[in-house]
Amino acid sequence: MSTITLKTVVFFGSARDVTPPWGGDSRLGDRIMGWVTSTLACRNGSLGSDKITHDVSIIDPLEVFGKDGALSGFSGGELRSPVFMMKPDDIPQATKELADTIKNADCYLIVSPEYNHSIPPALASIMGHFGGSNYKCKPSGIVTYSPGPFAGMRAAMAIQVLCHELGCLPVSKLCGIPAVADLFEADGTPKDASHRMLKQLPELLTQLEWMAVAMANQRKATGTF
């Protein structure tokens, strides 16, 4: 058995950084990200006789749009300067490194809440800073969440369209987590590891890994279109 290590980029959709007056988490998604990254680190996937592991890079809007972040200063969350419209010599080094991380990925995982029944602006901005040539011919998976019962599913539908346009085709399996604070501790540890809602992510990853390996093989054989 050989090991295939997938370069997996995880986009975090939330830039929330404030505790609401009624209390609770400043960013509820930190619980989900803790669970997702832990799941990826412990993942023992297989594809035929090959073992599948993940080399994970997290792209967090609080970091990339924050002080000295890769998309701060020259651009920002409002997407003043899409990177693909800039002259190469004008692109900051940190931005080039972020672009390389995205371009060199084998697959993408988008972890996002739902804002106003749609995509959070921070997520659309981060992904939209980079042209489709960075994403094309690779798969993506979508994980959404909410404090209430609907699990961010309306955002998931909109994110699917975004991923299609960028060329990182979403797998059919979705992972939607409702009532996050009821299911996870603050660090992302499940309160009940056998809860049925937690079965969604492994099923999504199985599809993502299959597609990532298949598309990597095809890129190697023929290049991209």
Side-chain angles (χ1 to χ4, degrees):
M1 175 181 289
S2 60
T3 298
I4 299 173
T5 299
L6 299 173
K7 293 180 180 178
T8 303
V9 167
V10 181
F11 288 98
F12 199 172
S14 175
R16 183 69 57 82
D17 192 24
V18 60
T19 301
W22 52 86
D25 298 14
S26 60
R27 185 163 63 166
L28 187 64
D30 288 335
R31 300 188 188 220
I32 297 296
M33 280 296 289
W35 171 59
V36 168
T37 55
S38 176
T39 300
L40 288 170
C42 298
R43 177 76 174 165
N44 286 312
S46 62
L47 191 59
S49 61
D50 295 322
K51 177 182 178 182
I52 308 295
T53 63
H54 294 263
D55 178 9
V56 177
S57 298
I58 298 172
I59 300 179
D60 185 336
L62 288 181
E63 296 177 3
V64 299
F65 294 131
K67 181 177 171 56
D68 299 324
L71 298 177
S72 66
F74 75 94
S75 186
E78 63 274 35
L79 222 172
R80 294 191 304 273
S81 299
V83 175
F84 58 87
M85 297 182 70
M86 298 173 66
K87 296 178 181 178
D89 290 345
D90 293 338
I91 301 173
Q93 182 59 33
T95 311
K96 292 179 180 178
E97 292 172 1
L98 178 58
D100 286 343
T101 297
I102 294 171
K103 189 175 184 65
N104 293 332
D106 294 305
C107 58
Y108 307 96
L109 199 58
I110 295 115
V111 179
S112 181
E114 174 183 307
Y115 283 7
N116 298 320
H117 295 190
S118 192
I119 303 172
L123 175 62
S125 178
I126 289 179
M127 296 187 73
H129 266 88
F130 304 94
S133 61
N134 295 278
Y135 301 95
K136 68 179 181 179
C137 302
K138 303 169 191 174
S140 59
I142 300 169
V143 179
T144 55
Y145 61 89
S146 70
F150 300 113
M153 278 294 105
R154 288 166 292 202
M157 298 301 101
I159 293 168
Q160 283 185 326
V161 176
L162 173 66
C163 290
H164 275 290
E165 176 60 24
L166 291 174
C168 50
L169 305 182
V171 298
S172 62
K173 181 64 180 180
L174 294 170
C175 177
I177 303 297
V180 171
D182 293 338
L183 295 179
F184 298 95
E185 305 289 355
D187 65 355
T189 302
K191 295 182 178 181
D192 177 4
S194 65
H195 197 286
R196 64 183 180 85
M197 299 303 291
L198 275 58
K199 297 177 181 179
Q200 299 175 84
L201 182 56
E203 294 171 357
L204 183 157
L205 291 176
T206 295
Q207 292 189 8
L208 186 68
E209 291 161 356
W210 194 100
M211 291 297 294
V213 172
M215 295 173 92
N217 288 340
Q218 190 64 28
R219 290 196 308 274
K220 182 178 180 180
T222 65
T224 61
F225 44 77

